[in-house]
Every structure is written in structure tokens, then in C-alpha cells.
Amino acid sequence: MCRTMNKAKQLIDRLEAQRSLSIEEYEYLIENQSDELAAYAAEKAVALRKQVYGTDVYIRGLIEIGNICRNDCYYCGIRRSNPACDRYRLTEAQILDCAREGYALGFRTFVMQGGEDSAFSVDVVCHLVRQIKAEFPDCAVTLSLGEFPREAYQAMFDAGADRYLLRHETADQAHYEKLHPAQMSFDNRMRCLRDLKDIGYQTGCGFMVGSPYQTARTLAEDLKFIEKFRPEMCGIGPFIPQKDTPFRDFPAGTCEQTVYLLSLLRLIQPNLLLPATTALGTIRPDGRERGLQAGANVVMPNLSPLGVRKKYALYDGKLCTGEEAAQCIGCLSRRVASVGCRIVTARGDIIR
């Protein structure tokens, strides 16, 4: 055991120094996770985060613009074939009202997230982006609306979108195909990410932790993908089953593995924007605080109208569906302060 721990710590040291390991070495770190090793990695990750970002934690105002989706991902509560999902689509006026409320509360980044809904065409999205940027020129706009052709991503960027979040979900093609129906393409998902980065977006990807059929090897491939792709953002959170999906009976991922992987991601890329996700806070009451203590530096409170929040049910038990935005940000500020960090009013761009 001592020899295993020593080897694992040596790998952590080398990752800190060189920002790179082999897939086999990442796999070793995942297979040999322990409380002691996680604490060792977290200490180094937090020190690196402080070198780049100090104690600042950036807030993003999440606006869930609709839960209508053409895809049928096996893990997702808003999948196309879920008849129990109560569908909605926000109007332009509602979306702008959310942004106005958020701006008054200090948000300087708005994240428009939704299912892949043909009603939110490239022209509609471009119009929304222009409206928000015209009214709030000092704010960043992040889109998280799924897969589009390259020319659509270019048009949204030209309209003023600054960032795009598109989780890759898993960097292993065989694993991807176990999580998605045949009409969804791993190659197309990777094409989208390459196009976004090439166009000039601050690009975010990410993966689930503990998803069905995941192994230490597939997680190691995720870490290697982040190392090579070098996104500006990486969102990871535990898999949480949703009662109306084919994966309803699979066990959830764990807070412990998620925060350990956050630390490894920080060691791979010290300036990475790393959220302590809502899913992390859902799986464990102090999950977001633990994420910050492992190296995360972003939180994403919900600005969506209260009446629709429970409808955006990607997974069961989702946190903060009944709190007003002002109440939520107050609670989060106290939680962030409790671990020695502070929420800042800023766009929160990556520091190069």
C-alpha cells in the first residue's frame, strides 16, 4: 500500500511539474484514488489556482431557455422520448428579463442553455445574442445549445457570443455509443468542439463522472483529451440517474471521485475555468464547497424563472429549483466565503 501511494504521489508531482501523463498513468491515479491521495492532489491544485486566480470565484448566470430536445440521450431527463417531461420554451422577453435581473445582482456572464430545439434556430439565437450584448455590452454571453454546423457557430460568434459549452460526455467512442442512440455521432461531437475552438470561442467541454459503463480507462482518456484539447472551461459533475430514462436504475457517481478529478484537471491546466457544478451540490450538500477546496473556481446560479426550473430536469433532485436568484446568490456567497474564497463581479474570462 505504501509503495502504491508513493508511486501515485510521484505521478501527482510529475503532473504538477509537466502538465502531462500517459493514459496508463492517469488510469493508475484513478484506480488508486484514496482520501490521502485526493488531499495531496487538492492541496497542489488549490495552490495552482491561487497563483492564477487568487481567491476569486466567478459567477455565471444560468438561463435555461427551453427543455425541448431532438436528441434521445439515455441519461437525460429531457430526452425526446420522455413523455413525462413537462416541456417549455422561454420567450425572448423572458430571457431578457432574466438577464436584467442577473445584471442587477452583479452577474457579468449569462449562459443560455437548452435542449437542441429547432425553434431556437441560428437566426433566433443570433438575434438573442445581439439583444443581450446591446443592452449589456460589458457582459459575456455563453451558449450551451448543442451541435450545429460550423457556419451556424460562426454566425453566433459574429453576433457577439463569447463562449460555447458543449460537453463531450466521454472521450471514448465505444463508451459514447453506450450512452447515446445510433443517430448521435461521437465524430460529429468532436468536430463541433474543434470548430468552436478554431472559430475563436472560449470553448468549454466536460464529462460525467460515474456514468454507466464508465471505467478507470475511459476516465483516463477524458483527462488525456483535456490535456491535448486545452479547452478554456471544463465542466464535470457526477452522473445522477433520472427516473424517466433507461439509466434510471444505475448508481450515481460520487462527490469524492468528482472532486479528485477536479484537482487532476487543475494540475493538467492551471488556468482552466472549472465549475463546482450544481450536480456536485445535488449529490452532497457541501459538494460545491468541496469542489472549490479541490481547485474549482466557477459557480453557476440559476436565473431561470421559478416556474420552469423544475421542468429542466436533466437528473433527479436538482438543487436550487425553488429559490429566487437573489436568495441563491446570497447563499452561494456565504458558502464560497466559508472555504476562503470570494465571489467577484466580473466577466470571468480565462487568464492566459
Side-chain angles (χ1 to χ4, degrees):
M1 182 65 181
C2 185
R3 184 179 301 169
T4 298
M5 179 60 66
N6 287 339
K7 178 180 176 181
K9 285 186 175 180
Q10 288 170 5
L11 288 175
I12 295 285
D13 291 342
R14 183 145 58 82
L15 183 59
E16 178 188 28
Q18 299 177 3
R19 315 291 180 225
S20 176
L21 294 174
S22 69
I23 289 180
E24 291 73 22
E25 288 166 335
Y26 284 129
E27 187 176 9
Y28 187 89
L29 286 177
I30 293 162
E31 288 175 334
N32 291 285
Q33 178 186 337
S34 66
D35 290 346
E36 181 182 348
L37 188 63
Y40 187 74
E43 183 179 2
K44 291 179 176 293
V46 169
L48 277 177
R49 184 196 65 204
K50 286 181 177 177
Q51 286 179 23
V52 182
Y53 294 105
T55 60
D56 291 353
V57 171
Y58 299 133
I59 54 172
R60 319 296 201 200
L62 181 62
I63 306 172
E64 293 161 337
I65 65 174
N67 69 351
I68 297 167
C69 190
R70 65 171 175 258
N71 292 330
D72 222 10
C73 308
Y74 300 145
Y75 48 84
C76 183
I78 68 170
R79 63 195 304 259
R80 183 186 70 237
S81 64
N82 178 10
C85 182
D86 186 3
R87 305 292 176 175
Y88 77 93
R89 184 185 292 132
L90 295 186
T91 65
E92 178 184 315
Q94 287 176 304
I95 294 167
L96 290 172
D97 282 344
C98 291
R100 291 180 186 116
E101 180 186 11
Y103 191 85
L105 291 169
F107 291 86
R108 295 299 178 264
T109 289
F110 302 115
V111 182
M112 287 194 285
Q113 183 180 73
E116 294 194 18
D117 178 3
S118 59
F120 287 113
S121 65
V122 60
D123 290 340
V124 170
V125 173
C126 287
H127 178 70
L128 278 167
V129 171
R130 290 190 188 99
Q131 292 282 94
I132 292 174
K133 295 291 278 194
E135 190 164 345
F136 310 107
D138 57 332
C139 292
V141 171
T142 302
L143 301 176
S144 182
L145 301 171
E147 297 178 357
F148 285 89
R150 182 187 174 109
E151 56 269 23
Y153 287 141
Q154 183 69 60
M156 296 172 194
F157 184 77
D158 293 343
D162 302 277
R163 308 178 186 136
Y164 204 103
L165 303 178
L166 181 66
R167 284 194 173 198
H168 64 281
E169 304 300 0
T170 173
D172 180 278
Q173 182 166 353
H175 185 217
Y176 184 94
E177 290 169 357
K178 291 179 179 178
L179 303 179
H180 301 91
Q183 61 266 36
M184 293 187 67
S185 162
F186 174 82
D187 289 339
N188 191 58
R189 181 63 58 101
M190 290 298 171
R191 186 274 305 165
C192 288
L193 285 168
R194 289 192 301 270
D195 284 350
L196 289 164
K197 201 163 179 53
D198 187 53
I199 287 167
Y201 283 95
Q202 292 181 46
T203 304
C205 56
F207 54 93
M208 291 179 288
V209 179
S211 63
Y213 312 112
Q214 190 176 70
T215 65
R217 180 73 178 197
T218 56
L219 281 172
E221 290 179 12
D222 283 313
L223 294 178
K224 194 66 179 177
F225 172 72
I226 300 301
E227 177 195 308
K228 290 181 174 181
F229 183 65
R230 296 193 62 79
E232 281 73 26
M233 300 161 280
C234 182
I236 71 169
F239 164 74
I240 302 174
Q242 206 279 338
K243 60 183 175 57
D244 300 310
T245 69
F247 290 164
R248 65 180 70 85
D249 295 324
F250 280 81
T254 67
C255 176
E256 289 75 18
Q257 187 171 47
T258 304
V259 298
Y260 176 57
L261 291 168
L262 282 171
S263 295
L264 298 185
L265 288 167
R266 178 65 67 197
L267 295 175
I268 290 169
Q269 191 176 331
N271 69 337
L272 194 60
L273 292 163
L274 276 178
T277 59
T278 302
L280 195 50
T282 298
I283 204 78
R284 181 170 169 148
D286 64 345
R288 286 175 296 186
E289 292 95 314
R290 286 169 62 91
L292 296 173
Q293 290 173 306
N297 69 323
V298 174
V299 290
M300 297 176 65
N302 202 328
L303 293 177
S304 307
L306 282 176
V308 303
R309 288 191 197 172
K310 289 185 179 179
K311 299 178 183 181
Y312 201 80
L314 306 183
Y315 50 82
D316 288 340
K318 184 180 171 186
L319 198 67
C320 298
T321 56
E323 296 179 358
E324 296 284 355
Q327 180 185 3
C328 187
I329 192 64
C331 173
L332 258 182
S333 295
R334 292 188 293 274
R335 287 175 174 272
V336 168
S338 75
V339 293
C341 298
R342 65 184 189 119
I343 284 178
V344 295
T345 298
R347 280 172 45 114
D349 293 301
I350 192 170
I351 294 177
R352 301 290 182 184

